[in-house]
Amino acid sequence: MAVPGRKSKGSHLLVAAFDFGTTYSGYAFSFLNDPLKIVTNQSWIAGSEKLISLKTPTCVLLKPNKEFHSFGFEAENKYADLAEDDEHHGWLLFRRFKMKLHNTDGLSRHTTIEDINGTSMPAMKIFSMSLRFLREHFLDALGKQTCGVLEKDVQYVITLPAIWNDSAKQFMREAAIQSGMESSRIKLALEPEAASIWCQQVTTQAKQVLTGTGSKYMVIDLGGGTADISVHEKLCNGQLKELHKASGGPWGGSYVDKNYIKCVTDIFGTESIEKFKLEQMADFFDIQREFETKKRGIKGDTEGKITFKISASLKEIYNESEKESLTDKLSSLGLSGKMSVTGDKLRVDNSIVKSWFDGPVNSMIGHVKGILAEPKMKDVKLMLLVGGFGESHYVQDRMKNEFGSKHVIIPEEAGLGVLKGA
Ligand SMILES: Nc1ncnc2c1ncn2[C@@H]1O[C@H](COP(=O)(O)OP(=O)(O)OP(=O)(O)O)[C@@H](O)[C@H]1O
Ligand SMILES: [Mg+2]
């Protein structure tokens, strides 16, 4: 790629956006002369399971001296390796920490977050380390794909949940500055607004219905941690007006994973699971990643049983300590006929798998219905579904069923909508 003509001092040639999610994070960039040609990192490596990912887990690993070691899949894999050799003591692994800040009213410089073993660190440090990693990864990618583009040509955009208050926004800006981004080059963007913009730009279907002045629509961002719901109106000057204050709750896709792990824990027992996590952490991560791929295949009309791979080491741990056979255990839990374990496979009836989704999905649907029932929402006929969990066919089927009278639009690559819009 050649360097497009450099403009006057203080302007930028390209925009680099960072979406710092509860479960996944990523970056994307595009040049001013071709803004819709958006480059994302195509190659976050997920490890042993084949999981294609355009974002990487929001996960930070620190060495025992509290220096940064790695981010994303690499951090998870390294920690699992260390644990396998019992060398992980003193290392700190922070996962899904943005969620902990969701309900913190006064997110500040002094807020702390805990790693998976309960050791606290200043949230600011962990956020700025994460952003520094993403920024450096981006600069590296930029350097490989272009020549002569400098960091001073970059406009940085960082996305934020719409429900965060001003002090949380200030926190994020400061973390960005500490990550090495120059203050004057940082812009903050609200996640639902970024998603809105993306849908208007590239989804032909959405473009037709959304670009008209006065169109009113709901943006539902279903992420890993939360469902964030906003209602926008397109004004004649092209700007967006917030018709309903952003709201939502802890109803993201990670709650489906939690329900699955809870089910596995009910079967194998808390003690076996704790031992398994401790001794076979890599296998534990693999179980979670395998679930992630299976979860993506579930639809409203999925029938029969779904097979999940559990690890042979988990069964061994169970057999060492428990006398009851797994078949008897399932029957005492009232699950025979609905679930079975053969070899390293757990087979689960679709009705149970769907119930894992229904926890978060029912809450979200109830909330959306409540908003739509308000008198000032009566003209809202359109709903945009974005976010990774919005890509779930099961979720899409439920939404179309529940809101048959509305027009539910799901843009292509819904999971990247926020990032690409930003
Ligand atoms: N095709 C799919 N089917 C089902 N679930 C999916 C699919 N793709 C992604 N997910 C789920 O979506 C969630 C991640 O979504 P996303 O990347 O939008 O979240 P995030 O931005 O990290 O979180 P948040 O917006 O809550 O901060 C995960 O729970 C993941 O399992
Ligand atoms: Mg998100």
Side-chain angles (χ1 to χ4, degrees):
M1 211 184 284
V3 184
R6 190 162 272 141
K7 288 200 189 159
S8 62
K9 206 170 164 245
S11 68
H12 56 275
L13 295 177
L14 72 155
V15 174
F18 297 82
D19 179 18
F20 194 71
T22 310
T23 37
Y24 293 99
S25 295
Y27 64 83
F29 59 94
S30 74
F31 285 86
L32 228 51
N33 60 351
D34 195 0
L36 290 183
K37 191 171 163 219
I38 298 170
V39 185
T40 49
N41 183 38
Q42 301 287 326
S43 55
W44 297 111
I45 311 290
S48 54
E49 285 298 326
K50 278 187 235 79
L51 185 64
I52 300 163
S53 187
L54 298 174
K55 299 200 275 183
T56 193
T58 305
C59 177
V60 182
L61 180 65
L62 305 189
K63 297 181 217 170
N65 66 4
K66 306 216 161 73
E67 268 175 28
F68 177 84
H69 179 275
S70 46
F71 186 86
F73 287 117
E74 204 190 324
E76 285 185 351
N77 294 340
K78 172 73 183 175
Y79 190 80
D81 286 346
L82 287 166
E84 207 121 300
D85 299 332
D86 200 30
E87 283 171 0
H88 61 298
H89 305 283
W91 290 70
L92 304 176
L93 186 71
F94 294 85
R95 292 180 95 193
R96 304 196 167 170
F97 46 86
K98 188 179 157 201
M99 191 61 198
K100 301 206 178 84
L101 306 177
H102 206 72
N103 298 319
T104 312
D105 284 337
L107 176 58
S108 77
R109 225 170 285 183
H110 308 292
T111 309
T112 57
I113 45 179
E114 290 182 357
D115 92 320
I116 57 169
N117 296 309
T119 310
S120 292
M121 284 283 287
M124 178 63 79
K125 238 194 147 82
I126 304 301
F127 272 72
S128 62
M129 280 174 172
S130 305
L131 286 171
R132 179 178 291 275
F133 168 84
L134 291 169
R135 170 181 152 260
E136 286 174 355
H137 205 288
F138 150 71
L139 289 172
D140 195 43
L142 185 68
K144 281 183 189 141
Q145 293 177 32
T146 60
C147 63
V149 181
L150 306 171
E151 192 170 9
K152 69 173 181 49
D153 298 320
V154 180
Q155 164 82 68
Y156 286 113
V157 176
I158 298 168
T159 67
L160 294 172
I163 59 163
W164 276 19
N165 59 17
D166 284 345
S167 70
K169 288 175 193 161
Q170 187 52 37
F171 172 94
M172 199 62 149
R173 175 174 286 280
E174 209 170 309
I177 294 169
Q178 288 195 17
S179 81
M181 296 177 197
E182 193 194 303
S183 171
S184 64
R185 311 206 150 269
I186 303 168
K187 265 193 182 171
L188 302 177
L190 298 182
E191 290 169 9
E193 291 186 4
S196 236
I197 288 167
W198 171 243
C199 293
Q200 293 183 26
Q201 289 303 321
V202 285
T203 322
T204 6
Q205 193 195 11
K207 214 173 188 163
Q208 284 162 1
V209 276
L210 289 181
T211 40
T213 298
S215 61
K216 298 175 180 176
Y217 55 91
M218 179 180 265
V219 182
I220 305 177
D221 178 6
L222 299 181
T226 58
D228 298 289
I229 293 123
S230 314
V231 185
H232 294 155
E233 176 179 353
K234 182 94 189 255
L235 300 179
C236 53
N237 60 5
Q239 288 195 331
L240 298 176
K241 180 180 163 194
E242 194 181 62
L243 278 190
H244 193 283
K245 206 172 160 316
S247 64
W251 312 313
S254 66
Y255 291 90
V256 184
D257 317 357
K258 276 200 180 133
N259 289 336
Y260 169 64
I261 295 298
K262 182 178 178 301
C263 170
V264 174
T265 309
D266 288 344
I267 298 169
F268 291 89
T270 312
E271 256 170 56
S272 300
I273 294 292
E274 286 308 317
K275 192 157 182 231
F276 174 61
K277 275 194 209 168
L278 210 64
E279 293 175 0
Q280 306 290 341
M281 181 141 335
D283 286 356
F284 179 64
F285 285 155
D286 269 351
I287 283 189
Q288 288 176 304
R289 287 175 192 168
E290 211 256 346
F291 180 74
E292 180 71 38
T293 52
K294 285 286 155 67
K295 178 185 175 186
R296 296 181 182 208
I298 308 297
K299 299 181 183 165
D301 59 4
T302 295
E303 291 180 341
K305 288 206 166 71
I306 295 104
T307 305
F308 300 96
K309 214 170 86 198
I310 45 161
S311 141
S313 59
L314 175 58
K315 261 186 96 175
E316 276 165 29
I317 291 175
Y318 178 85
N319 290 333
E320 278 163 20
S321 57
E322 304 276 341
K323 294 201 178 56
E324 202 177 6
S325 77
L326 278 167
T327 313
D328 290 345
K329 183 72 187 274
L330 286 170
S331 120
S332 67
L333 289 169
L335 292 170
S336 32
K338 297 252 177 216
M339 258 191 228
S340 59
V341 182
T342 14
D344 63 351
K345 293 189 174 60
L346 175 67
R347 305 208 65 218
V348 186
D349 191 73
N350 73 82
S351 60
I352 295 188
V353 177
K354 288 173 187 168
S355 74
W356 296 336
F357 282 79
D358 286 334
V361 172
N362 289 345
S363 304
M364 179 272 293
I365 286 175
H367 183 82
V368 168
K369 282 187 171 165
I371 294 178
L372 290 174
E374 292 177 27
K376 62 176 184 200
M377 294 293 121
K378 75 173 187 335
D379 297 336
V380 179
K381 301 267 186 308
L382 274 174
M383 305 167 99
L384 289 179
L385 195 56
V386 295
F389 196 37
E391 286 194 30
S392 157
H393 294 290
Y394 182 76
V395 173
Q396 295 175 1
D397 291 345
R398 291 264 343 244
M399 290 297 287
K400 285 178 182 157
N401 259 328
E402 296 283 346
F403 302 102
S405 62
K406 308 273 175 200
H407 191 162
V408 182
I409 295 176
I410 303 134
E412 232 172 88
E413 295 190 306
L416 290 178
V418 169
L419 184 57
K420 292 197 166 183

